[in-house]
């Protein structure tokens, strides 16, 4: 499968990147399937550099903080008011409890049915897989102040693990174990950020990957604009060490073959 980093700025859109959004694509032998993980502030514009939003097969939201979901309001507009007329099917949108109501509230003046004519809202459940074309996506409840999930994505015998927003927790072991690539929250900096149960630092992300075992590549993401990414990388590298093991930093428009 192919991973495209649409947006990777942590907590808010930065000067060089939108907030969180990752595009996955894979071919099942008949066609290419496309799934987006999160759609935060500014991500819808950048997404259009890579794909027509109308061609998405599903959208999965890790949680309902604006930097992970707010551009769903714009996605709704692209489907509700498109000049070509309505699309033949609703887009499946998987998220935590209350996703449909939360997003309808963010779009002032919407009617009583909210966005449900255009978007098919579905509830995520811990460890219950979601099947979309060639993808099997298993959500794991992680450690954040709101209902939040990491996603383990499997396709063609390959595994991508995306932590979403989380601090260290036991679920990360199951999420990351034997993953070919781990896309890990690294919003906090060791020695500066002391609030527990919100975000990983580079070192804690690397330790979770080491503890899980079998991880091929570690890519740090969700780094806010006020952080020096090289500090995050160095803190992770102190844990993620060994021959041929390099800590990578997510960058907008980067493409990974997983």
């Amino acid at each position: 499968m192919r991973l495209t980093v649409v947006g990777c700025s942590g907590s808010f859109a930065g000067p060089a990147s939108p907030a969180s959004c990752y595009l996955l694509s894979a071919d099942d032998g008949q066609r290419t399937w496309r799934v987006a993980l999160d759609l935060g502030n500014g991500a819808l514009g950048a997404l259009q550099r890579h794909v027509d939003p109308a061609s998405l097969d599903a959208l999965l939201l890790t949680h309902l903080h604006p930097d992970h979901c707010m551009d769903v309001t714009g996605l709704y507009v692209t489907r509700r008011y498109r000049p070509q007329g309505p699309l033949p099917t609703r887009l499946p949108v998987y998220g935590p409890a209350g996703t449909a109501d939360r997003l309808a509230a963010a779009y002032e003046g919407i009617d009583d049915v909210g966005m449900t004519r255009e978007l098919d809202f579905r509830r995520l459940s811990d460890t219950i897989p979601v099947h979309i074309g060639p993808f099997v996506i298993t959500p794991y409840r992680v450690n954040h102040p709101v209902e939040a999930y990491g996603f383990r994505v499997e396709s063609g015998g390959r595994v991508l693990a995306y932590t979403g927003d989380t601090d260290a927790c036991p679920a990360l072991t199951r999420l990351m174990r034997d993953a070919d690539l781990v896309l890990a929250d690294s919003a906090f900096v060791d020695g500066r950020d002391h609030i527990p149960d919100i975000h990983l630092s580079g070192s804690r992300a690397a330790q979770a990957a080491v503890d899980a075992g079998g991880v091929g590549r570690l890519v740090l993401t969700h780094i806010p604009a006020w952080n020096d990414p090289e500090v995050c990388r160095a803190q992770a590298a102190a844990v993620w060490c060994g021959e041929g093991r390099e800590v990578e930093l997510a960058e907008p428009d980067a493409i990974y073959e997983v």
Side-chain angles (χ1 to χ4, degrees):
M1 60 183 142
R2 173 173 288 188
L3 164 67
T4 301
V5 178
V6 177
C8 55
S9 184
S11 301
F12 54 93
S17 175
S20 296
C21 181
Y22 306 92
L23 176 65
L24 299 175
S25 60
D27 199 307
D28 67 354
Q30 296 183 331
R31 71 175 182 91
T32 300
W33 292 73
R34 298 178 178 89
V35 173
L37 308 181
D38 286 335
L39 195 63
N41 314 65
L44 180 61
L47 178 65
Q48 293 171 75
R49 294 201 297 265
H50 302 281
V51 69
D52 179 353
S55 71
L56 289 176
D57 293 292
L59 169 64
L60 287 87
L61 303 175
T62 57
H63 64 293
L64 299 180
H65 282 153
D67 59 317
H68 292 259
C69 73
M70 196 49 63
D71 268 22
V72 179
T73 58
L75 182 66
Y76 157 76
V77 171
T78 69
R79 300 178 76 87
R80 175 71 177 86
Y81 298 106
R82 63 196 305 267
Q84 305 94 320
L87 291 163
T89 58
R90 296 185 298 161
L91 178 70
V93 177
Y94 295 84
T99 296
D101 291 341
R102 168 90 158 101
L103 292 170
Y107 195 102
E108 185 177 4
I110 204 165
D111 61 27
D112 290 343
V113 300
M115 302 179 182
T116 59
R117 294 188 190 94
E118 292 71 32
L119 305 177
D120 180 8
F121 292 99
R122 306 179 184 186
R123 171 80 187 274
L124 291 170
S125 296
D126 187 29
T127 73
I128 303 300
V130 173
H131 297 262
I132 304 163
F135 299 106
V136 179
I137 305 173
T138 305
Y140 288 90
R141 182 75 182 263
V142 291
N143 183 10
H144 203 52
V146 299
E147 182 182 350
Y149 296 92
F151 295 135
R152 182 179 175 91
V153 184
E154 300 175 67
S155 180
R158 307 290 285 178
V159 178
L160 163 73
Y162 168 43
T163 67
D165 287 8
T166 183
D167 200 350
C169 62
L172 293 180
T173 297
R174 292 176 294 163
L175 177 71
M176 294 182 177
R177 182 176 290 130
D178 295 325
D180 296 286
L181 187 150
V182 167
L183 194 59
D185 173 15
S186 183
F188 277 4
V189 173
D190 292 329
R192 185 195 72 187
D193 302 309
H194 304 290
I195 303 173
D197 305 323
I198 298 180
H199 291 295
L200 293 165
S201 64
S203 68
R204 294 202 297 277
Q207 190 62 59
V210 169
D211 291 345
V215 172
R217 300 171 71 179
L218 177 63
V219 181
L220 303 183
T221 193
H222 201 269
I223 297 175
W226 53 48
N227 282 7
D228 180 347
E230 292 302 330
V231 170
C232 299
R233 190 208 302 262
Q235 292 185 347
V239 178
W240 184 256
C241 54
E243 185 176 354
R245 302 182 85 177
E246 178 185 356
V247 177
E248 302 173 62
L249 297 173
E251 296 182 358
D253 302 318
I255 296 175
Y256 298 87
E257 299 293 341
V258 181

